[in-house]
Amino acid sequence: MAKLTLKERFKKVSAGSGDAARASKFATSIFRPGSPFRKGYSDSPRNRSYVVMNNVLYHLHPVKVKRHGVRLSYTLCLGGMSFFLFIVLTITGIWLMFYFRPTEMAYADIQALQTSVAFGSLVRNMHRWGAHLMVLVVFLHMSRVFYHGAYKAPREFNWVIGVILLFLTLFLSFTGYLLPWDQLAIWAVTVGGNMASYTPVFGAQIKFGLFAGLEATTATLLRFYVLHVLFFPFIIVIFMAIHFWRVRKDGGISGPL
Amino acid sequence: MVDIPEHLLLRSAEARAKALGITVEQALAEMKGESAPTVVDDEPEVIEVDLPTPVKAEAPAPVETPKVEEAPAKAEAPAPVETPKVEEAPAKAEAPAPAKAATPAPAKADTPEEVDFAPEVKVTQRLLTVVKAKPIQKAASEPVDKVNTWPHLMLPEFISLMAMMAFLILLSAILQAPLLEEANPNITPNPAKAPWYFLGLQEALSYWDPQIAGVMIPLVIGLIGFAAIPYIDRNKENNPSKRKYAIMMYTFFLAGAGTLTIIGVLFRGPGWNWTYPWIDGIWFDDLLDWIYFE
């Protein structure tokens, strides 16, 4: 027997499997025309367009993109990674909220999460390392955009939005830093808050507003918690929507160099 | 036949009677099919001038001759309709056309070259200029080489996401996020360090006045300065070889921020004094579980 390529083998295995299910009324009610999950999908230019057009999530993309833009070496997928990490952080963050109270119980809750909740430690680690990674990736994304000169007309304002997104990312990370309520958290945030207090004229007021008092207490914890899980995510999602929308309105990816 | 409401039938019969100059009853009878339709031949005749026998050509003219016997019953005396008095309708093909139509036809047929189809038209145009054929609108951009998003973009994207997810899960399984003792405002660790992305700033604070390092750098340079880059850099080129100055500036910034951050993370110990991580150990709790030099 002739040796099959991987593609042929896949076709042989998958031929007919699930066809009845994929052709069922139930499946066709879920997957819109052009979906690869629908029966009768074939690789045609029309279906390639439908895949994007007929799906609310993929619709973030245009149907066609510049050929040089899909090279991994051009974007390094850094913008997409930032967004993906944000999604991962949202999901793990919501999961962590089930086990966390922003009170004097916070530290005990984190300990309980690590010791007596299934996958608690893993999810907490993912949230923390993912957050550090996101700061890094967003920064690298900015550097990539700079080195490609991608902030130039007509993309000037999207760069401004991007800088705001970088700062929002930093704020998100910083407000989350306090939540474990251990010595690392409280003193890192104290240092950060002291930096903010050097602001001319309003320094003391800014620190007071940030800490909900003169120093980091459980009131600060509650304040940072609300900022972290509600306020900044809300703001950053708005700016991300503008950012993604502007990418397309400004003519897609920049370049080629 | 579709049943037409009586009032609509009446209305259209009235219109027809007015147009043809017949009575309403006659029109109504014609529409109901009770009598043959009236024909008005005051429309311009189509004259086939090159036919040798114009009379023949007009033979199929729609002369639906009403029966002479029926016509008087309808009392159509005032109608200007010329109803040719023909004895037998079926013979109309051979019958000569109505006199009115027939009389001018031979005259025209004899002199076909004199037929003036549009006597009022004079040749009035002259050549002013020659305009090249080209589109009114000019395409603003050159066509670019594009590929379908699916699969050429979405597949690499998906693979990248999966790789990142795998990396993150692996990292989280290996490295435990730090959790020190419970927060205690009365015990200040030495040194107290900010999150790593602020450590470059904290390091800068040890050199300069806090109002400069703590406020001016992050706010004026970091936020306003960075946001203003596209409005300061008016160079339109995006080829790296044509924007060396901008690239140099950004690289200086990167190197400076990176150096400050690395110093802040690794080379600062108690009292913010210079330490070597391979001698004195790491003074950064986020990294404690990662790196051991002992």
Side-chain angles (χ1 to χ4, degrees):
Chain A
M1 197 179 132
K3 215 175 170 200
L4 295 172
T5 66
L6 194 66
K7 199 176 173 187
E8 285 165 344
R9 196 172 299 171
F10 177 75
K11 267 191 178 165
K12 201 179 164 193
V13 170
S14 65
S17 67
D19 261 10
R22 294 201 302 158
S24 71
K25 276 205 165 163
F26 181 63
T28 50
S29 76
I30 298 173
F31 300 111
R32 303 206 60 219
S35 167
F37 301 111
R38 236 170 121 110
K39 187 174 184 291
Y41 177 82
S42 60
D43 191 25
S44 65
R46 184 189 171 88
N47 271 344
R48 286 180 173 199
S49 308
Y50 274 165
V51 167
V52 177
M53 282 194 292
N54 280 350
N55 186 303
V56 66
L57 293 178
Y58 306 161
H59 206 249
L60 201 59
H61 288 308
V63 167
K64 285 192 165 193
V65 286
K66 293 175 190 163
R67 185 183 293 278
H68 76 91
V70 300
R71 287 206 329 265
L72 198 61
S73 59
Y74 188 74
T75 63
L76 304 170
C77 213
L78 287 168
M81 277 310 159
S82 312
F83 183 44
F84 178 65
L85 282 169
F86 178 78
I87 292 169
V88 170
L89 289 168
T90 306
I91 294 169
T92 53
I94 290 171
W95 191 88
L96 290 171
M97 282 172 75
F98 288 125
Y99 303 100
F100 180 79
R101 283 165 290 180
T103 60
E104 57 277 349
M105 297 302 293
Y107 184 74
D109 284 345
I110 297 290
Q111 277 186 322
L113 176 80
Q114 295 207 143
T115 52
S116 46
V117 175
F119 297 112
S121 204
L122 179 75
V123 176
R124 177 174 174 241
N125 292 348
M126 280 176 68
H127 195 76
R128 190 178 185 100
W129 302 136
H132 286 321
L133 216 52
M134 183 173 164
V135 172
L136 192 68
V137 169
V138 168
F139 187 78
L140 291 177
H141 174 56
M142 183 176 84
S143 303
R144 195 284 295 174
V145 167
F146 185 91
Y147 282 121
H148 282 167
Y151 55 81
K152 301 189 173 188
R155 300 181 178 80
E156 301 105 316
F157 190 65
N158 216 13
W159 167 272
V160 176
I161 301 278
V163 171
I164 294 171
L165 281 172
L166 170 71
F167 273 76
L168 286 171
T169 307
L170 290 177
F171 291 150
L172 266 169
S173 182
F174 182 66
T175 49
Y177 215 79
L178 181 66
L179 301 188
W181 202 235
D182 62 349
Q183 280 290 77
L184 178 61
I186 188 174
W187 289 104
V189 166
T190 302
V191 170
N194 285 337
M195 280 191 216
S197 73
Y198 295 131
T199 312
V201 188
F202 308 109
Q205 283 83 354
I206 287 178
K207 191 187 171 190
F208 190 88
L210 199 63
F211 280 4
L214 294 173
E215 54 180 21
T217 59
T218 46
T220 317
L221 182 61
L222 177 62
R223 181 150 301 194
F224 273 47
Y225 178 73
V226 174
L227 289 175
H228 184 72
V229 304
L230 220 61
F231 180 77
F232 283 126
F234 175 68
I235 301 289
I236 204 172
V237 162
I238 292 172
F239 276 94
M240 279 198 297
I242 302 171
H243 197 62
F244 300 159
W245 179 74
R246 277 303 290 257
V247 168
R248 287 188 62 173
K249 289 294 160 188
D250 293 341
I253 199 140
S254 69
L257 292 179
Chain B
M1 189 182 157
V2 185
D3 277 332
I4 302 167
E6 194 64 29
H7 68 283
L8 289 181
L9 204 61
L10 189 65
R11 194 186 297 172
S12 58
E14 276 165 3
R16 184 175 167 80
K18 192 178 174 188
L20 297 182
I22 56 175
T23 59
V24 177
E25 293 79 28
Q26 163 75 9
L28 207 56
E30 285 170 12
M31 290 172 80
K32 284 177 178 172
E34 291 165 2
S35 101
T38 308
V39 173
V40 187
D41 54 358
D42 52 359
E43 292 112 0
E45 301 281 338
V46 177
I47 297 158
E48 306 265 326
V49 286
D50 50 351
L51 276 178
T53 51
V55 180
K56 268 257 174 76
E58 286 184 27
V63 188
E64 299 274 309
T65 43
K67 289 285 186 309
V68 185
E69 295 80 26
E70 290 174 23
K74 303 289 171 190
E76 50 166 5
V81 185
E82 288 186 33
T83 32
K85 304 278 189 277
V86 185
E87 288 78 48
E88 43 205 293
K92 67 180 178 209
E94 292 86 34
K100 189 185 167 193
T103 34
K108 290 202 172 176
D110 293 338
T111 54
E113 64 279 354
E114 281 179 23
V115 172
D116 197 357
F117 287 103
E120 72 277 7
V121 173
K122 298 279 181 292
V123 178
T124 55
Q125 71 267 45
R126 64 205 163 95
L127 187 68
L128 290 177
T129 182
V130 176
V131 180
K132 264 191 191 167
K134 63 178 178 188
I136 300 168
Q137 284 185 321
K138 238 174 153 182
S141 56
E142 298 281 307
V144 279
D145 190 13
K146 287 191 169 183
V147 291
N148 274 102
T149 301
W150 168 265
H152 297 292
L153 175 61
M154 280 163 61
L155 228 52
E157 229 171 32
F158 182 72
I159 293 166
S160 310
L161 300 190
M162 288 299 105
M164 173 60 96
M165 195 67 195
F167 172 71
L168 185 59
I169 291 177
L170 210 65
L171 189 74
S172 306
I174 295 170
L175 290 175
Q176 182 57 42
L179 188 68
L180 311 184
E181 314 84 61
E182 185 166 9
N184 188 345
N186 300 317
I187 303 172
T188 309
N190 191 6
K193 287 189 178 182
W196 65 267
Y197 36 81
F198 287 153
L199 276 186
L201 222 54
Q202 201 180 349
E203 172 68 15
L205 270 172
S206 67
Y207 304 143
W208 298 303
D209 182 78
Q211 294 225 340
I212 293 172
V215 180
M216 295 296 276
I217 290 178
L219 225 63
V220 176
I221 295 180
L223 184 58
I224 299 170
F226 264 79
I229 283 178
Y231 303 100
I232 296 166
D233 176 15
R234 302 312 298 175
N235 177 7
K236 285 192 172 65
E237 298 289 339
N238 70 349
N239 189 322
S241 62
K242 287 174 182 158
R243 46 193 291 267
K244 287 179 179 158
Y245 180 72
I247 285 182
M248 186 183 73
M249 291 299 281
Y250 192 86
T251 310
F252 272 151
F253 160 77
L254 268 190
T259 308
L260 286 179
T261 304
I262 289 170
I263 291 174
V265 170
L266 293 176
F267 294 90
R268 290 294 175 184
W272 212 253
N273 292 313
W274 188 273
T275 58
Y276 292 101
W278 51 90
I279 296 172
D280 310 299
I282 303 268
W283 295 91
F284 185 64
D285 298 298
D286 253 354
L287 283 180
L288 270 184
D289 284 350
W290 294 46
I291 307 167
Y292 294 98
F293 287 106
E294 276 89 359

